[in-house]
Amino acid sequence: MYAVVAVFNPELERAIIEVWDELKEKGISAYASKVKNRRPHITLGDVQQLDPVRFSEDFVHHYRDHPPIEIRLASIGSFIRTGILYYSPVLSDDLTALHRDFHKEFLPPDGNESSLYRPGRWIPHCTIANRLSTEEQLKAFELVKDREIPQGTITGLSLLDLRVPGEAPEIATVSFV
């Protein structure tokens, strides 16, 4: 499987990594360290199979002149019965347009109907921790609830290869700056 993710400016990325590090230090969640070189992101879509070379060329060409998108992480959420805690961005017109454009241009309307990233089902989020017990989820929430949530920009997109557990190498990246 592959995923296309929106990545952030360095300051926002660093602030989220600090949260991940603190959750790990306190023994609450090791989410970030479960995948080599994991970066904070918002997933736009997932694809079961593709030709990585062709997709990368088309993907980079399509988005090479895209402007950065302001992003405001404004709330903390959790998916029901998942043990996931996340930052949720304000769903701006620009973020919605980026998501719809990606699906229109790169994912067939009849592909992967069960994907939670499809238009009409997508809940944009940046995962803080996952696989949390109720107790861990409460501790994680307590740790982040009063923290200043940094604002920033989406500065590009990356195509990730998720086929090897514990790894998610970037196959292609396009910068918006």
Short mmCIF file of all heavy atoms in Angstrom, two decimals, residues 14-33 87 128-129 136 139-148:
data_model
loop_
_atom_site.label_atom_id
_atom_site.label_comp_id
_atom_site.label_asym_id
_atom_site.label_seq_id
_atom_site.Cartn_x
_atom_site.Cartn_y
_atom_site.Cartn_z
N ARG A 14 8.53 20.23 14.02
CA ARG A 14 9.35 20.10 15.23
C ARG A 14 8.48 20.10 16.48
O ARG A 14 8.69 19.32 17.41
CB ARG A 14 10.39 21.22 15.28
CG ARG A 14 11.47 21.03 16.31
CD ARG A 14 12.62 22.04 16.19
NE ARG A 14 12.35 23.31 15.57
CZ ARG A 14 12.64 23.64 14.30
NH1 ARG A 14 13.23 22.76 13.51
NH2 ARG A 14 12.37 24.83 13.82
N ALA A 15 7.46 20.96 16.53
CA ALA A 15 6.58 21.04 17.69
C ALA A 15 5.81 19.73 17.90
O ALA A 15 5.63 19.29 19.04
CB ALA A 15 5.61 22.22 17.54
N ILE A 16 5.38 19.11 16.83
CA ILE A 16 4.65 17.84 16.94
C ILE A 16 5.61 16.72 17.36
O ILE A 16 5.27 15.88 18.20
CB ILE A 16 3.91 17.52 15.63
CG1 ILE A 16 2.80 18.55 15.41
CG2 ILE A 16 3.32 16.10 15.68
CD1 ILE A 16 2.20 18.55 14.04
N ILE A 17 6.81 16.73 16.83
CA ILE A 17 7.81 15.73 17.22
C ILE A 17 8.11 15.87 18.72
O ILE A 17 8.30 14.86 19.41
CB ILE A 17 9.07 15.85 16.35
CG1 ILE A 17 8.76 15.37 14.93
CG2 ILE A 17 10.23 15.03 16.95
CD1 ILE A 17 9.85 15.63 13.91
N GLU A 18 8.13 17.09 19.24
CA GLU A 18 8.34 17.29 20.68
C GLU A 18 7.23 16.62 21.49
O GLU A 18 7.49 16.03 22.54
CB GLU A 18 8.43 18.78 21.01
CG GLU A 18 9.73 19.42 20.57
CD GLU A 18 9.75 20.93 20.75
OE1 GLU A 18 8.81 21.49 21.38
OE2 GLU A 18 10.70 21.56 20.25
N VAL A 19 5.99 16.70 21.02
CA VAL A 19 4.88 16.03 21.69
C VAL A 19 5.10 14.52 21.64
O VAL A 19 4.96 13.83 22.66
CB VAL A 19 3.52 16.41 21.04
CG1 VAL A 19 2.39 15.54 21.58
CG2 VAL A 19 3.21 17.88 21.25
N TRP A 20 5.46 14.00 20.46
CA TRP A 20 5.72 12.56 20.33
C TRP A 20 6.81 12.12 21.31
O TRP A 20 6.68 11.09 21.97
CB TRP A 20 6.16 12.23 18.91
CG TRP A 20 5.11 12.29 17.85
CD1 TRP A 20 3.77 12.43 18.03
CD2 TRP A 20 5.33 12.21 16.45
NE1 TRP A 20 3.14 12.44 16.80
CE2 TRP A 20 4.08 12.32 15.83
CE3 TRP A 20 6.47 12.08 15.66
CZ2 TRP A 20 3.92 12.27 14.44
CZ3 TRP A 20 6.32 12.03 14.29
CH2 TRP A 20 5.05 12.12 13.69
N ASP A 21 7.89 12.91 21.37
CA ASP A 21 9.00 12.57 22.26
C ASP A 21 8.58 12.57 23.72
O ASP A 21 8.96 11.67 24.49
CB ASP A 21 10.17 13.53 22.05
CG ASP A 21 10.88 13.36 20.71
OD1 ASP A 21 10.64 12.33 20.04
OD2 ASP A 21 11.65 14.26 20.33
N GLU A 22 7.79 13.54 24.11
CA GLU A 22 7.35 13.61 25.50
C GLU A 22 6.42 12.44 25.84
O GLU A 22 6.51 11.86 26.93
CB GLU A 22 6.65 14.93 25.79
CG GLU A 22 6.39 15.15 27.27
CD GLU A 22 5.89 16.54 27.59
OE1 GLU A 22 5.98 17.46 26.74
OE2 GLU A 22 5.40 16.71 28.73
N LEU A 23 5.54 12.07 24.93
CA LEU A 23 4.66 10.92 25.15
C LEU A 23 5.48 9.64 25.32
O LEU A 23 5.16 8.80 26.16
CB LEU A 23 3.66 10.77 24.00
CG LEU A 23 2.54 11.81 23.97
CD1 LEU A 23 1.83 11.78 22.63
CD2 LEU A 23 1.56 11.58 25.11
N LYS A 24 6.55 9.52 24.55
CA LYS A 24 7.40 8.34 24.67
C LYS A 24 8.18 8.36 25.99
O LYS A 24 8.25 7.34 26.69
CB LYS A 24 8.37 8.25 23.49
CG LYS A 24 9.19 6.98 23.51
CD LYS A 24 10.05 6.83 22.29
CE LYS A 24 10.82 5.52 22.37
NZ LYS A 24 11.67 5.31 21.22
N GLU A 25 8.75 9.51 26.33
CA GLU A 25 9.51 9.64 27.58
C GLU A 25 8.66 9.30 28.80
O GLU A 25 9.15 8.72 29.77
CB GLU A 25 10.05 11.06 27.73
CG GLU A 25 11.20 11.39 26.82
CD GLU A 25 11.52 12.89 26.80
OE1 GLU A 25 11.07 13.63 27.72
OE2 GLU A 25 12.20 13.32 25.85
N LYS A 26 7.38 9.65 28.75
CA LYS A 26 6.49 9.41 29.89
C LYS A 26 5.88 8.00 29.84
O LYS A 26 5.05 7.66 30.68
CB LYS A 26 5.40 10.48 29.93
CG LYS A 26 5.97 11.85 30.25
CD LYS A 26 4.87 12.84 30.52
CE LYS A 26 5.41 14.22 30.76
NZ LYS A 26 6.04 14.46 32.01
N GLY A 27 6.26 7.21 28.85
CA GLY A 27 5.77 5.84 28.74
C GLY A 27 4.31 5.73 28.33
O GLY A 27 3.67 4.70 28.56
N ILE A 28 3.79 6.76 27.65
CA ILE A 28 2.38 6.75 27.24
C ILE A 28 2.22 6.17 25.85
O ILE A 28 1.33 5.37 25.60
CB ILE A 28 1.80 8.19 27.32
CG1 ILE A 28 1.86 8.70 28.76
CG2 ILE A 28 0.36 8.21 26.80
CD1 ILE A 28 1.55 10.19 28.90
N SER A 29 3.09 6.58 24.92
CA SER A 29 2.97 6.13 23.53
C SER A 29 4.31 6.20 22.83
O SER A 29 5.02 7.20 22.93
CB SER A 29 1.96 6.99 22.76
OG SER A 29 1.99 6.69 21.38
N ALA A 30 4.61 5.17 22.07
CA ALA A 30 5.82 5.15 21.24
C ALA A 30 5.43 5.22 19.76
O ALA A 30 6.15 4.75 18.89
CB ALA A 30 6.64 3.90 21.53
N TYR A 31 4.28 5.82 19.47
CA TYR A 31 3.75 5.90 18.11
C TYR A 31 4.81 6.31 17.09
O TYR A 31 5.00 5.66 16.07
CB TYR A 31 2.57 6.88 18.07
CG TYR A 31 2.18 7.32 16.69
CD1 TYR A 31 1.49 6.46 15.84
CD2 TYR A 31 2.52 8.59 16.21
CE1 TYR A 31 1.13 6.87 14.56
CE2 TYR A 31 2.17 8.99 14.94
CZ TYR A 31 1.48 8.13 14.11
OH TYR A 31 1.14 8.53 12.85
N ALA A 32 5.49 7.41 17.37
CA ALA A 32 6.41 7.96 16.38
C ALA A 32 7.59 7.05 16.08
O ALA A 32 8.11 7.04 14.98
CB ALA A 32 6.92 9.32 16.85
N SER A 33 8.01 6.27 17.06
CA SER A 33 9.19 5.43 16.85
C SER A 33 8.86 4.07 16.24
O SER A 33 9.76 3.29 15.97
CB SER A 33 9.92 5.23 18.18
OG SER A 33 9.08 4.56 19.10
N TYR A 87 -4.34 15.70 16.49
CA TYR A 87 -4.64 17.10 16.28
C TYR A 87 -5.49 17.18 15.02
O TYR A 87 -5.19 16.52 14.01
CB TYR A 87 -3.37 17.92 16.05
CG TYR A 87 -2.54 18.20 17.28
CD1 TYR A 87 -1.17 18.00 17.26
CD2 TYR A 87 -3.12 18.70 18.44
CE1 TYR A 87 -0.40 18.28 18.38
CE2 TYR A 87 -2.35 18.98 19.56
CZ TYR A 87 -1.00 18.76 19.53
OH TYR A 87 -0.23 19.04 20.63
N ILE A 128 -1.23 11.96 17.00
CA ILE A 128 -0.33 12.23 18.12
C ILE A 128 0.12 10.90 18.72
O ILE A 128 1.27 10.71 19.06
CB ILE A 128 -1.05 13.07 19.20
CG1 ILE A 128 -1.51 14.41 18.64
CG2 ILE A 128 -0.14 13.26 20.42
CD1 ILE A 128 -2.46 15.15 19.56
N ALA A 129 -0.84 9.97 18.86
CA ALA A 129 -0.56 8.66 19.47
C ALA A 129 -1.62 7.68 18.99
O ALA A 129 -2.72 8.07 18.63
CB ALA A 129 -0.57 8.77 20.99
N GLU A 136 -4.19 5.32 29.04
CA GLU A 136 -3.14 6.01 28.29
C GLU A 136 -3.72 7.18 27.50
O GLU A 136 -3.10 8.24 27.39
CB GLU A 136 -2.43 5.04 27.34
CG GLU A 136 -1.58 4.01 28.03
CD GLU A 136 -1.16 2.88 27.10
OE1 GLU A 136 -1.88 2.60 26.10
OE2 GLU A 136 -0.11 2.28 27.37
N LYS A 139 -4.17 10.04 29.80
CA LYS A 139 -2.87 10.64 30.12
C LYS A 139 -2.35 11.47 28.95
O LYS A 139 -1.82 12.57 29.14
CB LYS A 139 -1.85 9.56 30.47
CG LYS A 139 -2.06 8.94 31.84
CD LYS A 139 -1.01 7.86 32.08
CE LYS A 139 -1.21 7.17 33.41
NZ LYS A 139 -0.24 6.08 33.61
N ALA A 140 -2.50 10.94 27.74
CA ALA A 140 -2.04 11.67 26.56
C ALA A 140 -2.84 12.96 26.37
O ALA A 140 -2.28 14.02 26.08
CB ALA A 140 -2.15 10.79 25.31
N PHE A 141 -4.14 12.86 26.54
CA PHE A 141 -4.99 14.04 26.42
C PHE A 141 -4.59 15.09 27.45
O PHE A 141 -4.47 16.27 27.15
CB PHE A 141 -6.46 13.67 26.57
CG PHE A 141 -7.37 14.86 26.47
CD1 PHE A 141 -7.68 15.41 25.23
CD2 PHE A 141 -7.90 15.45 27.60
CE1 PHE A 141 -8.50 16.52 25.14
CE2 PHE A 141 -8.72 16.56 27.52
CZ PHE A 141 -9.02 17.10 26.28
N GLU A 142 -4.37 14.65 28.68
CA GLU A 142 -3.97 15.56 29.76
C GLU A 142 -2.66 16.26 29.40
O GLU A 142 -2.49 17.45 29.66
CB GLU A 142 -3.82 14.79 31.07
CG GLU A 142 -3.67 15.64 32.29
CD GLU A 142 -4.88 16.50 32.59
OE1 GLU A 142 -6.02 16.08 32.35
OE2 GLU A 142 -4.67 17.63 33.06
N LEU A 143 -1.75 15.54 28.76
CA LEU A 143 -0.45 16.11 28.40
C LEU A 143 -0.58 17.18 27.31
O LEU A 143 0.15 18.17 27.32
CB LEU A 143 0.48 14.99 27.93
CG LEU A 143 1.91 15.40 27.67
CD1 LEU A 143 2.87 14.43 28.33
CD2 LEU A 143 2.17 15.48 26.19
N VAL A 144 -1.50 17.00 26.38
CA VAL A 144 -1.57 17.92 25.23
C VAL A 144 -2.69 18.94 25.30
O VAL A 144 -2.67 19.92 24.56
CB VAL A 144 -1.66 17.16 23.88
CG1 VAL A 144 -0.46 16.27 23.68
CG2 VAL A 144 -2.94 16.36 23.78
N LYS A 145 -3.65 18.77 26.19
CA LYS A 145 -4.86 19.62 26.17
C LYS A 145 -4.60 21.10 26.39
O LYS A 145 -5.30 21.93 25.84
CB LYS A 145 -5.91 19.11 27.14
CG LYS A 145 -5.59 19.35 28.61
CD LYS A 145 -6.73 18.86 29.49
CE LYS A 145 -6.44 19.07 30.95
NZ LYS A 145 -6.34 20.45 31.33
N ASP A 146 -3.62 21.45 27.20
CA ASP A 146 -3.34 22.86 27.46
C ASP A 146 -2.11 23.38 26.72
O ASP A 146 -1.71 24.52 26.89
CB ASP A 146 -3.16 23.08 28.97
CG ASP A 146 -4.45 22.85 29.73
OD1 ASP A 146 -5.53 23.18 29.19
OD2 ASP A 146 -4.39 22.31 30.85
N ARG A 147 -1.52 22.53 25.94
CA ARG A 147 -0.33 22.91 25.19
C ARG A 147 -0.73 23.84 24.04
O ARG A 147 -1.76 23.64 23.41
CB ARG A 147 0.30 21.64 24.61
CG ARG A 147 1.62 21.86 23.92
CD ARG A 147 2.15 20.54 23.38
NE ARG A 147 2.45 19.61 24.44
CZ ARG A 147 3.67 19.32 24.85
NH1 ARG A 147 4.70 19.87 24.28
NH2 ARG A 147 3.86 18.46 25.83
N GLU A 148 0.10 24.82 23.82
CA GLU A 148 -0.12 25.70 22.68
C GLU A 148 0.04 24.87 21.41
O GLU A 148 1.09 24.25 21.18
CB GLU A 148 0.89 26.84 22.69
CG GLU A 148 0.78 27.73 21.51
CD GLU A 148 0.30 29.11 21.88
OE1 GLU A 148 0.25 29.44 23.07
OE2 GLU A 148 -0.02 29.85 20.95
#
